[in-house]
Amino acid sequence: MSSGITEDALRAEVEAWLADNWTGLPAHHESFGRDPRSEWLAKVRDGGWATPRWDAEWHGRGLSNDQAKIVERAFAAVGAPGAGQDRSNLWANTALAHATDSFKRTIVSQLLAGEVGMCLLYSEPGAGSDLAAVRTRADKVEGGWRVTGQKVWTSGAAVADYGMLIARTDWDVPKHRGISFFFLPMKQEGVEVRPLRQITNESHFNEVFITDAFVPEENLLGPLNGGWAVLQTALAYERSVMGDAARGPRSGAGGPKGDYSLLGLAQEAGRLDDPLVRQDVAQVIAWRVLNKLNTQRAKADMAQGTSSPIMSLGKLAMSRILHEEARVRTMLLGPESLLEGPDHPRAEDANFLSLNAYFTSIGGGTDQIQRNIIGERVLGLPKEPEVDRTIPFRDVRAG
Amino acid sequence: MTDTMVRPEAAPAALDAADRAALVDSVRRLLADRCTEADVRRIMDSESGHDAALWRALVDLGVVGLTVPEEHGGAGLGPVELELVMEEAGAALLPAPLISTAMASVLFNGERLAKIADGSTIAAVAFVGAYDWTGRSDVRVAGDRLTGTARFVPDAAIANLIVVAGEDGVFVVERCDVTITPLPVFDRTRRMADVAFNGPATRIGDSARVAAARDIGIVALAGEQAGGVRRMLERTVAYATERHQFGRAIGSFQAIKHMAADLLLESESATSAARDAARQLTEGSQTKDAAIALAAFACADAFVRVAKDGIQMHGGIAFTWTNPAHLYLRRARSGAQLLGDGNQWRERYIQALEAQA
């Protein structure tokens, strides 16, 4: 099929396909590993709707942006997931752009159908914001590499089939130039996953200990020692969604009017007549609404093909909102905030929020790193000198 | 003559994106030519603070009558276009009574509208009674006479007509029937005066449009502030790129870079708030009161913060009179009091949310 199809014909085709195939899905929750919807997603992929902008060779239809949006809108209209992964699927996009042809043949179709579980093996105890400082090593052996090191902050590691791994493959060049990017098979001897207990007393993340694990030759993405550039593509996808993804209070209290749930809390606490409380509550709600308005503007800009500086601001905005909302909730509750447990859900919300706000302000690169990125890439300010940029990694001071 | 007819809500003509861009571009070019920093300083230092020739150019371009209906000689456009134009005016620190004029346009009917559009009338608006944001006015209505003083009335000293807007109705008073006392204002680009009434007034409407006038004033002011924020940030970033200390551009230091990133968030948020308020006012949406209130304090706060931090980031050079940074700070602080302060608008915001809930 060529992209010369008319919009009406395309719309008719996708609507007919959905009418024939879409019967709805059972409700599901956030999950890692094999996607519970994979049977449906495989159908979408085979129908050419998962990645309508890509070539037929990669399950697509070579459609233009505007044409692809017709497909996405038709799927959205009936509530069917799976279309438009050519914009949203971090794993498939990274693989398509950088994987070897032989690996791409198997992995891309599996990723589009959610048939394999994925995790990110980037951060290390000694390489958080400075990912170019990774010390996990991949040493060349017959048919591939042997990997040894430790990774951290890995969601879904226990059920993942592959981890997107950055590891050092050359220690004698400056740090950005000796890193390679792999799809590491997770289900093998030598990969041990240990849950990490967070300050919220939850365990979303894991530490991953890697000892002489094997990654085959064809699982190298991009050139050997060229992993930094691959990582940048992958990180850009990840950061662009962080401003939207931040969680609010644990109970989700407030429902669809969640934005205004602070008002309800102030009312319940009998503090809604206090002018100072009203000022604080108004300000937090205002920041939330402003962030939404910013995101809407960014999306409108991007829909018109203009890049938007605003996408990089969502994470900073959300950090401020979450930390401040936690403070105001705590203030409203007073001594009740000293408690927790199921009998004190409001206190649990406030306390959870005050701890979990760091998920956003540290996760995905700290707010300070994000400010550097905004300053340099959006505002065009000069880069800060990096003293270890030109010396061999072997000689870089660390720890 | 009493004219309590409420002007019908004519749907403003909506421009498409290309025409909007052309409008903004024509305003930007006029201001680049006629409202340079040197012009701003000249007008600011003049007796009246008003440049009749520049005003004439704005009339000719259709900016002054932007929201006046076409049948009265205006452009017949709405809050969305007004806001975009005001962004340009704010960026250039344009010293001209555009906000007063936009508010008067909402309150006027017929011939008075035509005189706004053709530039023969400049009207200043004094909000009184329940609408008095200053809390310092004591204007009373007695029959067809007004007594008392309206305080801090923007543009009053250059106006031909003073419009008095409150819960008792909307009145106009000729300049010759009031006593105008210009005030020694902090921001010389936005003049204010006290207006003492003790004489006849012409009633031109009831109180139905008073809130609408204030709403359009907020949209215009918020747009002006969003434009001022953006220009101040641009200037600051440019300076941080060219100014070197310790062998590096100061913008390469994280202390400066991080401030700049935070200010970008302020700037983009102000633009979003101003444009959303304009859109909601145009559409008459159910949540417009909240949108107006949000724009009122968010844009004012953003401008004050960016103007203040911008001076800090410039360092000593911005502590001089000759550097324009203080003009932005003066404008920002003046605007933050122009139609009610942040605390008042945050209170109104929360009231609007309570009403929606």
mmCIF file of all heavy atoms in Angstrom, chain A residues 243-257:
data_model
loop_
_atom_site.group_PDB
_atom_site.id
_atom_site.type_symbol
_atom_site.label_atom_id
_atom_site.label_comp_id
_atom_site.label_asym_id
_atom_site.label_seq_id
_atom_site.Cartn_x
_atom_site.Cartn_y
_atom_site.Cartn_z
ATOM 1 N N GLY A 243 6.812 14.416 32.619
ATOM 2 C CA GLY A 243 5.982 15.458 33.223
ATOM 3 C C GLY A 243 4.541 15.008 33.376
ATOM 4 O O GLY A 243 3.853 15.371 34.310
ATOM 5 N N ASP A 244 4.088 14.157 32.429
ATOM 6 C CA ASP A 244 2.710 13.680 32.471
ATOM 7 C C ASP A 244 2.534 12.529 33.447
ATOM 8 O O ASP A 244 1.440 12.294 33.934
ATOM 9 C CB ASP A 244 2.289 13.171 31.080
ATOM 10 C CG ASP A 244 2.052 14.323 30.135
ATOM 11 O OD1 ASP A 244 1.977 15.459 30.624
ATOM 12 O OD2 ASP A 244 1.945 14.077 28.931
ATOM 13 N N ALA A 245 3.616 11.782 33.697
ATOM 14 C CA ALA A 245 3.445 10.475 34.322
ATOM 15 C C ALA A 245 3.466 10.514 35.847
ATOM 16 O O ALA A 245 3.184 9.520 36.482
ATOM 17 C CB ALA A 245 4.535 9.530 33.827
ATOM 18 N N ALA A 246 3.801 11.670 36.420
ATOM 19 C CA ALA A 246 3.977 11.705 37.872
ATOM 20 C C ALA A 246 2.702 11.332 38.609
ATOM 21 O O ALA A 246 1.610 11.720 38.237
ATOM 22 C CB ALA A 246 4.412 13.102 38.294
ATOM 23 N N ARG A 247 2.865 10.561 39.660
ATOM 24 C CA ARG A 247 1.704 10.123 40.429
ATOM 25 C C ARG A 247 1.336 11.133 41.498
ATOM 26 O O ARG A 247 2.184 11.832 42.028
ATOM 27 C CB ARG A 247 2.006 8.788 41.097
ATOM 28 C CG ARG A 247 2.128 7.660 40.108
ATOM 29 C CD ARG A 247 2.297 6.354 40.822
ATOM 30 N NE ARG A 247 3.501 6.341 41.648
ATOM 31 C CZ ARG A 247 3.755 5.398 42.549
ATOM 32 N NH1 ARG A 247 2.900 4.441 42.770
ATOM 33 N NH2 ARG A 247 4.876 5.430 43.233
ATOM 34 N N GLY A 248 0.068 11.174 41.845
ATOM 35 C CA GLY A 248 -0.401 12.030 42.929
ATOM 36 C C GLY A 248 -0.472 11.233 44.213
ATOM 37 O O GLY A 248 0.302 10.310 44.406
ATOM 38 N N PRO A 249 -1.425 11.556 45.069
ATOM 39 C CA PRO A 249 -1.585 10.826 46.317
ATOM 40 C C PRO A 249 -1.861 9.350 46.060
ATOM 41 O O PRO A 249 -2.450 8.988 45.047
ATOM 42 C CB PRO A 249 -2.802 11.477 46.968
ATOM 43 C CG PRO A 249 -3.138 12.657 46.167
ATOM 44 C CD PRO A 249 -2.374 12.648 44.919
ATOM 45 N N ARG A 250 -1.436 8.498 46.987
ATOM 46 C CA ARG A 250 -1.526 7.058 46.778
ATOM 47 C C ARG A 250 -2.973 6.593 46.602
ATOM 48 O O ARG A 250 -3.266 5.736 45.803
ATOM 49 C CB ARG A 250 -0.905 6.329 47.972
ATOM 50 C CG ARG A 250 -0.921 4.855 47.733
ATOM 51 C CD ARG A 250 -0.179 4.006 48.743
ATOM 52 N NE ARG A 250 0.552 4.654 49.777
ATOM 53 C CZ ARG A 250 1.670 4.138 50.296
ATOM 54 N NH1 ARG A 250 2.170 3.034 49.808
ATOM 55 N NH2 ARG A 250 2.275 4.747 51.282
ATOM 56 N N SER A 251 -3.894 7.169 47.379
ATOM 57 C CA SER A 251 -5.272 6.681 47.335
ATOM 58 C C SER A 251 -5.989 7.114 46.075
ATOM 59 O O SER A 251 -7.040 6.596 45.743
ATOM 60 C CB SER A 251 -6.044 7.209 48.538
ATOM 61 O OG SER A 251 -6.239 8.606 48.385
ATOM 62 N N GLY A 252 -5.424 8.096 45.354
ATOM 63 C CA GLY A 252 -6.133 8.629 44.196
ATOM 64 C C GLY A 252 -7.376 9.398 44.616
ATOM 65 O O GLY A 252 -8.274 9.633 43.828
ATOM 66 N N ALA A 253 -7.460 9.801 45.884
ATOM 67 C CA ALA A 253 -8.636 10.509 46.375
ATOM 68 C C ALA A 253 -8.893 11.757 45.537
ATOM 69 O O ALA A 253 -7.969 12.405 45.090
ATOM 70 C CB ALA A 253 -8.435 10.916 47.833
ATOM 71 N N GLY A 254 -10.139 12.054 45.339
ATOM 72 C CA GLY A 254 -10.450 13.231 44.549
ATOM 73 C C GLY A 254 -11.004 12.842 43.191
ATOM 74 O O GLY A 254 -11.685 13.609 42.560
ATOM 75 N N GLY A 255 -10.736 11.627 42.770
ATOM 76 C CA GLY A 255 -11.317 11.110 41.532
ATOM 77 C C GLY A 255 -11.047 12.014 40.357
ATOM 78 O O GLY A 255 -9.971 12.602 40.263
ATOM 79 N N PRO A 256 -12.048 12.160 39.488
ATOM 80 C CA PRO A 256 -11.832 12.945 38.283
ATOM 81 C C PRO A 256 -11.554 14.405 38.591
ATOM 82 O O PRO A 256 -11.014 15.123 37.776
ATOM 83 C CB PRO A 256 -13.139 12.779 37.498
ATOM 84 C CG PRO A 256 -14.135 12.223 38.458
ATOM 85 C CD PRO A 256 -13.376 11.565 39.560
ATOM 86 N N LYS A 257 -11.949 14.862 39.780
ATOM 87 C CA LYS A 257 -11.657 16.255 40.136
ATOM 88 C C LYS A 257 -10.384 16.331 40.963
ATOM 89 O O LYS A 257 -10.223 17.222 41.776
ATOM 90 C CB LYS A 257 -12.830 16.855 40.903
ATOM 91 C CG LYS A 257 -14.000 17.141 39.992
ATOM 92 C CD LYS A 257 -15.038 17.980 40.684
ATOM 93 C CE LYS A 257 -16.078 18.431 39.669
ATOM 94 N NZ LYS A 257 -17.330 18.782 40.283
#
